[in-house]
Amino acid sequence: MEGKKIKSIDLATQEMLERAQKENIKTSWDRLEAQQPQCGFGQLGICCTVCSMGPCRIDPFGEGAQAGVCGANADTIAARNLGRKVAVGASAHSDHGRDVAHTLLLLAEGKAHDYGIADSNKLKELALEFAIDTNKAEEVIVKELAQKILAEFGRQEGKLTFVKRAPKKRQDIWKKLGIVPRGIDREVVELLHTTTMGVDNDYKNIINTSLRCALSDGWGGSMIATDLQDMILGSPQPVRGKVNLGVLKEDYVNIVVHGHEPVLSEMAVKASKDPELLKAAKEKGAKGINLAGICCTANEVLMRHGIPVAGNFLQQELAIITGAVEVMMVDVQCIMPALQEIASCFHTKLVTTSPKAKFPGVSQIEFQAQNAYEIAKKIIKLGVDNFPNRNKERVNIPRQEMDLVAGFTKDIVHKILGGKYRASYQPLNDAIIQGRLRGLAGVVGCNNPKQKHDYFHTALVKELIKKDVLVLQTGCSAIACAKQGLLIPEAAKEYAGKGLQEICEAVGIPPVLHLGSCVDNSRILTAASQVIAQGGLGDDLCDIPAAGAAPEWMSEKAITIGMYFVASGVFTVFGASPFATLGSPKLTEYLCAGLEEEVGGKFAFSSDPSEMAKIMIEHIDKKRQALKLKPMMYE
Ligand code: BF8
């Protein structure tokens, strides 16, 4: 790769990119290059396609048109474009949550026999939160809960039930600003409505509606997805696993699960151990069946079963290019349309499973909760039967794989830090109060070929832990750092500051905690609320010495997550450009400064991981000072 711009810090990725180049297989990096120069108006957020009088664009230099045909200026156009992204991101997470809730209803009605209640404590907890009498038969409680949770989506008035999980002061702020989320669907629809032609032209009001919609995701759809998945599929426990393309096995049938909704992949885990299928695999000349994951589906099956992770978002194409994947089974979200073309260069069968996500020319085996296990078996069987079609000469699996520990939920953090006898957040709060720990950071989000793959995540996280910040991770960011060896307890000694090191060594945790998939960012909100409830670190989420970041983001979902973090009072830094809002300096200023006065959180943007770490640490220190906490112990 000498003399060329390195596209990834990950050696397995570098190796596969070289192979793709040799074989003239185009990946997202090549397509990005072919797109150059990308549209400047689009990058600045000042291209409007809302109605057919356009497309209109605003001249960013102030010389040409300053308004679209309808009269919308740069502020309105940029805010509307941003708001629509928030609505899409919220709808993706929340529709995922709805599907899980629907599975729960089918389960309660006896129509989804392959599922059960894996965590009955979670059922009790949720039943109490939803004011359900728990002295009834379990199936009655489950049915009532499913119905009540499904009603959260269509709720017209009042507030989402999980809003009560936030500190009182936070809820009061939302009330004052009129951004308490009501029904999930209602908030998405209202944001889409108000950003259509000729409705809301006040950029601040559009952001206000966007914040409410984002909150309906963070404290609604995503939280529902997380809690119900834990209840039905089992609450994660710390588990060791392996990560990177090296987890694919040369002598095995390799099945890769990719996407977001774990209800089917959970069944794939079970089916991959089915004696009948294992026998069939051996008959076809394989040693067994090897299941691995990509993206957030990977995080889900990793956390609950220790299933290895083949890679993050930008590695989905590369997994197929190893020539060793028999089936890639996809559900929804973050699945590149390019996969089919790449699969057609190899023997790999791409299988879609959601009626919401079809690919032209790709066969679909539709997932139904009613006969989930049979469907999963059918897909795995397809992989087994495809094994003899593998061209052994074309198999090229990079050797890289790394250990990691995942499965840290809010309850686990509680238990581990609180000790054997009394689960509590007090030791964590005390560590922050006494200056052993500086604070907390949530580092989350995607990959983006515009940025050196995995570099921004790992460089930022290394700087944070060096300064005694405990890092919580989800999504592709967690996979990036895991590949670089940051998610094992031994990483504390090598990378963490002395205070964080002491804590990690005392309780045996890594300095970077893997909390799950992107909907599991909701775990960060509930954990932070419990930190406040424990006492000593203020009375609102914005008081905690904490910050968030999405260093390599690309998805609309990342913007929605950022919005609900900010609306919850968290200072949140995004890598690269300010959501395509630079064409409106007023909007950018509002997002990066003005919002703080209203919600206590704000955005910052930076394309330099050291600078990102610096501003996050400055923010954490500012919060420490405001709380009059002790100076850092080892500085
Ligand atoms: O929901 S981090 S690339 S996989 S959007 Fe997608 Fe981004 Fe990965 Fe998970 Ni989240």
Side-chain angles (χ1 to χ4, degrees):
M1 311 221 44
E2 219 174 294
K4 281 188 230 155
K5 208 172 139 208
I6 293 176
K7 291 170 178 157
S8 172
I9 56 162
D10 171 40
L11 296 178
T13 298
Q14 288 179 11
E15 193 180 322
M16 282 299 99
L17 283 177
E18 268 182 41
R19 177 172 194 198
Q21 202 183 13
K22 263 189 217 140
E23 298 209 14
N24 201 20
I25 298 170
K26 302 284 178 228
T27 65
S28 54
W29 281 276
D30 303 302
R31 293 189 296 274
L32 173 65
E33 218 171 296
Q35 282 291 333
Q36 300 309 314
Q38 287 180 308
C39 171
F41 294 99
Q43 282 175 336
L44 295 173
I46 44 177
C47 168
C48 182
T49 58
V50 162
C51 82
S52 79
M53 293 191 288
C56 295
R57 52 198 194 177
I58 304 298
D59 180 359
F61 304 108
E63 288 159 14
Q66 292 304 297
V69 176
C70 70
N73 63 15
D75 307 327
T76 302
I77 291 174
R80 283 198 307 216
N81 288 340
L82 179 60
R84 291 187 153 217
K85 289 186 171 72
V86 172
V88 175
S91 67
H93 285 148
S94 299
D95 211 32
H96 167 170
R98 186 203 320 269
D99 281 348
V100 187
H102 188 238
T103 304
L104 183 70
L105 183 62
L106 290 173
L107 184 166
E109 291 172 346
K111 294 178 189 157
H113 303 285
D114 298 323
Y115 301 97
I117 299 298
D119 186 341
S120 45
N121 285 335
K122 186 60 118 188
L123 173 64
K124 261 186 229 138
E125 247 176 58
L126 287 173
L128 287 175
E129 276 188 273
F130 280 85
I132 296 168
D133 177 3
T134 50
N135 293 315
K136 296 178 190 165
E138 187 176 279
E139 58 276 18
V140 179
I141 300 173
V142 173
K143 187 161 184 183
E144 265 183 51
L145 180 64
Q147 285 165 337
K148 286 200 166 181
I149 286 184
L150 281 167
E152 295 284 274
F153 292 87
R155 185 193 269 279
Q156 298 303 313
E157 297 300 337
K159 63 182 179 197
L160 292 176
T161 305
F162 287 150
V163 163
K164 286 183 292 194
R165 291 181 175 184
K168 166 87 175 50
K169 201 164 163 197
R170 181 64 11 200
Q171 293 183 46
D172 290 345
I173 289 174
W174 292 340
K175 202 164 164 194
K176 190 172 143 233
L177 294 172
I179 58 171
V180 178
R182 300 156 296 184
I184 298 160
D185 294 350
R186 176 171 185 182
E187 301 311 348
V188 172
V189 169
E190 192 160 315
L191 182 52
L192 289 173
H193 169 203
T194 58
T195 53
T196 191
M197 188 266 146
V199 185
D200 198 354
N201 298 312
D202 175 348
Y203 71 96
K204 287 190 181 175
N205 201 42
I206 293 170
I207 296 306
N208 190 282
T209 312
S210 304
L211 293 169
R212 190 171 57 219
C213 178
L215 286 171
S216 80
D217 172 4
W219 297 85
S222 279
M223 213 171 259
I224 287 173
T226 296
D227 277 55
L228 292 191
Q229 285 168 184
D230 284 356
M231 189 177 92
I232 302 172
L233 310 177
S235 293
Q237 300 284 329
V239 62
R240 275 207 173 245
K242 295 220 178 270
V243 62
N244 215 343
L245 290 168
V247 305
L248 297 173
K249 292 186 185 166
E250 198 153 345
D251 305 329
Y252 283 68
V253 174
N254 288 305
I255 311 278
V256 173
V257 292
H258 171 24
H260 284 78
E261 292 181 8
V263 274
L264 175 58
S265 47
E266 184 76 11
M267 290 299 134
V269 174
K270 206 170 144 195
S272 69
K273 295 172 187 155
D274 188 292
E276 197 188 314
L277 288 171
L278 286 170
K279 189 169 163 256
K282 285 191 179 142
E283 280 164 9
K284 300 275 179 195
K287 282 190 180 157
I289 299 168
N290 179 40
L291 195 76
I294 295 267
C295 285
C296 281
T297 291
N299 289 323
E300 300 279 5
V301 288
L302 162 73
M303 280 194 304
R304 296 195 178 85
H305 303 285
I307 296 294
V309 177
N312 50 8
F313 175 69
L314 282 179
Q315 290 178 291
Q316 57 185 285
E317 297 173 292
L318 310 180
I320 298 178
I321 296 174
T322 62
V325 175
E326 274 58 55
V327 157
M328 184 177 274
M329 174 188 110
V330 302
D331 52 81
V332 290
Q333 302 169 25
C334 301
I335 302 149
M336 288 194 194
L339 287 186
Q340 173 57 4
E341 203 185 316
I342 297 190
S344 70
C345 302
F346 296 88
H347 73 300
T348 307
K349 284 196 193 307
L350 183 67
V351 178
T352 60
T353 58
S354 167
K356 295 173 195 168
K358 296 190 178 182
F359 286 52
V362 173
S363 56
Q364 170 154 102
I365 300 179
E366 192 179 316
F367 168 67
Q368 282 156 352
Q370 290 90 330
N371 49 353
Y373 188 56
E374 281 312 307
I375 292 165
K377 267 175 80 176
K378 196 170 163 189
I379 297 171
I380 305 259
K381 175 80 172 37
L382 202 68
V384 169
D385 291 342
N386 197 22
F387 184 74
N389 299 327
R390 187 195 284 185
N391 180 348
K392 288 193 179 141
E393 317 267 282
R394 294 190 73 205
V395 171
N396 186 353
I397 304 172
R399 280 206 312 275
Q400 283 75 22
E401 60 170 22
M402 179 55 80
D403 288 342
L404 83 160
V405 181
F408 292 93
T409 63
K410 73 164 177 35
D411 297 327
I412 294 294
V413 175
H414 203 235
K415 267 189 216 152
I416 289 183
L417 291 170
K420 235 187 202 160
Y421 305 105
R422 202 176 69 90
S424 160
Y425 273 90
Q426 200 56 53
L428 175 70
N429 288 19
D430 285 345
I432 297 174
I433 292 165
Q434 286 154 11
R436 198 179 298 274
L437 259 193
R438 187 179 299 270
L440 306 170
V443 181
V444 306
C446 326
N447 302 134
N448 186 330
K450 289 180 173 177
Q451 290 161 292
K452 197 191 290 177
H453 174 232
D454 290 349
Y455 167 69
F456 290 76
H457 294 298
T458 45
L460 169 63
V461 167
K462 278 183 188 168
E463 299 218 18
L464 290 171
I465 59 179
K466 193 166 79 192
K467 292 284 186 184
D468 296 308
V469 176
L470 178 67
V471 175
L472 313 177
Q473 290 212 280
T474 60
C476 291
S477 186
I479 301 175
C481 291
K483 282 185 280 176
Q484 301 301 318
L486 295 172
L487 271 66
I488 44 176
E490 299 78 358
K493 196 156 195 270
E494 194 172 344
Y495 300 105
K498 194 155 185 261
L500 176 57
Q501 218 178 90
E502 283 176 359
I503 292 170
C504 292
E505 278 166 9
V507 288
I509 54 168
V512 182
L513 302 183
H514 189 322
L515 269 69
S517 66
C518 283
V519 290
D520 295 332
N521 283 313
S522 62
R523 296 190 201 277
I524 299 179
L525 299 177
T526 39
S529 300
Q530 294 197 352
V531 163
I532 288 300
Q534 192 72 48
L537 290 174
D539 51 11
D540 189 4
L541 300 174
C542 62
D543 297 332
I544 304 175
E552 298 180 26
W553 75 280
M554 65 87 204
S555 167
E556 288 155 322
K557 292 180 285 173
I559 299 183
T560 315
I561 293 166
M563 277 278 173
Y564 72 63
F565 266 83
V566 166
S568 303
V570 183
F571 173 59
T572 306
V573 189
F574 271 64
S577 68
F579 306 149
T581 53
L582 274 180
S584 165
K586 278 196 213 160
L587 174 61
T588 310
E589 161 77 16
Y590 184 53
L591 295 171
C592 298
L595 263 183
E596 193 174 24
E597 280 164 39
E598 294 171 21
V599 292
K602 63 177 176 179
F603 289 100
F605 299 90
S606 166
S607 45
D608 172 0
S610 297
E611 189 189 283
M612 289 175 103
K614 186 170 161 266
I615 54 182
M616 288 169 80
I617 288 164
E618 276 168 9
H619 176 83
I620 289 172
D621 285 343
K622 200 174 82 189
K623 294 292 171 184
R624 291 188 64 83
Q625 273 166 20
L627 288 168
K628 299 194 171 51
L629 303 184
K630 293 202 176 127
M632 288 302 292
M633 216 173 248
Y634 298 109
E635 278 178 7

